[in-house]
Amino acid sequence: KNEVEQSPQNLTAQEGEFITINCSYSVGISALHWLQQHPGGGIVSLFMLSSGKKKHGRLIATINIQEKHSSLHITASHPRDSAVYICAVEKVSDKLIFGTGTRLQVFP
Amino acid sequence: DAGVIQSPRHEVTEMGQEVTLRCKPISGHNSLFWYRQTMMRGLELLIYFNNNVPIDDSGMPEDRFSAKMPNASFSTLKIQPSEPRDSAVYFCASSPGTHFSRPQPQHFGDGTRLSIL
């Protein structure tokens, strides 16, 4: 069993829809990271969180340490949000373990 | 801020050849990571350095792979001899490092797309 599980694997949405991507992990962590990978291939760090909730623009990330679960929400989705979203957990200093990613397509 | 710089962006070579991938981390960052991304296995950590010292190389697939960080501004990942199954995208990332009391976000380069024929 993978230490980091994401769901769904693929997600399609209409522009304007509210989107949720889930991440569950089975190990103790010091932090959880959400990354975005665009079709061009580049990877951008969206959030790093150890507790609670963070918001950046239309993106919101939450984490529940007790339940070992995190969610990434996108409000008012837009075609430019189409990308692969990757959850990664940090077990010991700096070392990341990645989920398999969620491929999101937002249609106009 | 130049970000993490990787070269080359693309590399196509024949099996058996030596391949060298290069990375310049963000100035002032003390941790550097090499990752490999494939369709089958997703993103995997190969090796990471802290203050130019390799800390964990448990992800390096086999002896054909080696990585060095001769100074704080440069690292290489070498594959010799290369094989078709090494074809993947290789990412380098850096972060401020473990001397901070809390985790730090990682900054990724654009990756090197490697094809071994």
Side-chain angles (χ1 to χ4, degrees):
Chain A
K1 188 180 189 298
N2 292 336
E3 292 175 295
V4 183
E5 299 273 359
Q6 281 187 243
S7 64
Q9 282 190 302
N10 295 284
L11 184 55
T12 59
Q14 287 295 125
E15 183 173 356
E17 284 185 7
F18 180 84
I19 289 162
T20 295
I21 300 170
N22 295 300
C23 176
S24 296
Y25 54 94
S26 57
V27 295
I29 67 171
S30 56
L32 184 142
H33 300 245
W34 281 103
L35 309 171
Q36 180 191 57
Q37 186 170 29
H38 272 283
I43 297 174
V44 175
S45 177
L46 297 176
F47 295 103
M48 186 191 68
L49 62 167
S50 306
S51 64
K53 175 179 170 177
K54 287 191 175 180
K55 185 176 189 291
H56 185 183
R58 295 179 295 105
L59 302 179
I60 303 166
T62 64
I63 187 168
N64 185 318
I65 297 294
Q66 287 73 31
E67 295 187 2
K68 291 186 165 62
H69 181 268
S70 176
S71 293
L72 177 68
H73 305 285
I74 305 175
T75 61
S77 59
H78 190 276
R80 64 174 176 267
D81 297 326
S82 299
V84 176
Y85 292 84
I86 303 168
C87 171
V89 299
E90 189 169 333
K91 286 172 67 175
V92 295
S93 297
D94 288 344
K95 185 174 178 178
L96 296 183
I97 299 172
F98 298 89
T100 53
T102 295
R103 184 175 300 275
L104 171 66
Q105 287 186 292
V106 182
F107 294 100
Chain B
D1 189 354
V4 175
I5 300 173
Q6 289 187 248
S7 63
R9 287 297 308 277
H10 303 272
E11 174 92 10
V12 180
T13 192
E14 293 186 342
M15 67 176 291
Q17 297 296 308
E18 179 179 291
V19 173
T20 300
L21 311 182
R22 297 173 176 80
C23 176
K24 177 177 167 55
I26 292 173
S27 177
H29 282 191
N30 294 313
S31 291
L32 182 140
F33 310 83
W34 282 102
Y35 296 103
R36 179 171 67 175
Q37 186 177 39
T38 61
M39 290 291 291
M40 291 294 292
R41 300 173 65 95
L43 270 165
E44 302 173 285
L45 176 68
L46 298 177
I47 185 171
Y48 81 95
F49 296 84
N50 185 251
N51 292 322
N52 311 338
V53 176
I55 302 300
D56 186 338
D57 65 354
S58 58
M60 295 286 263
E62 48 198 272
D63 291 345
R64 297 184 298 106
F65 286 69
S66 62
K68 293 182 180 179
M69 192 164 185
N71 57 62
S73 58
F74 184 66
S75 177
T76 59
L77 177 68
K78 191 169 290 188
I79 309 172
Q80 166 64 15
S82 57
E83 296 183 4
R85 60 193 167 118
D86 302 329
S87 298
V89 182
Y90 291 80
F91 287 97
C92 176
S94 70
S95 79
T98 56
H99 61 277
F100 287 88
S101 60
R102 59 186 191 279
Q104 300 292 321
Q106 294 186 15
H107 301 257
F108 286 77
D110 289 334
T112 294
R113 186 173 295 275
L114 178 63
S115 297
I116 308 296
L117 306 177

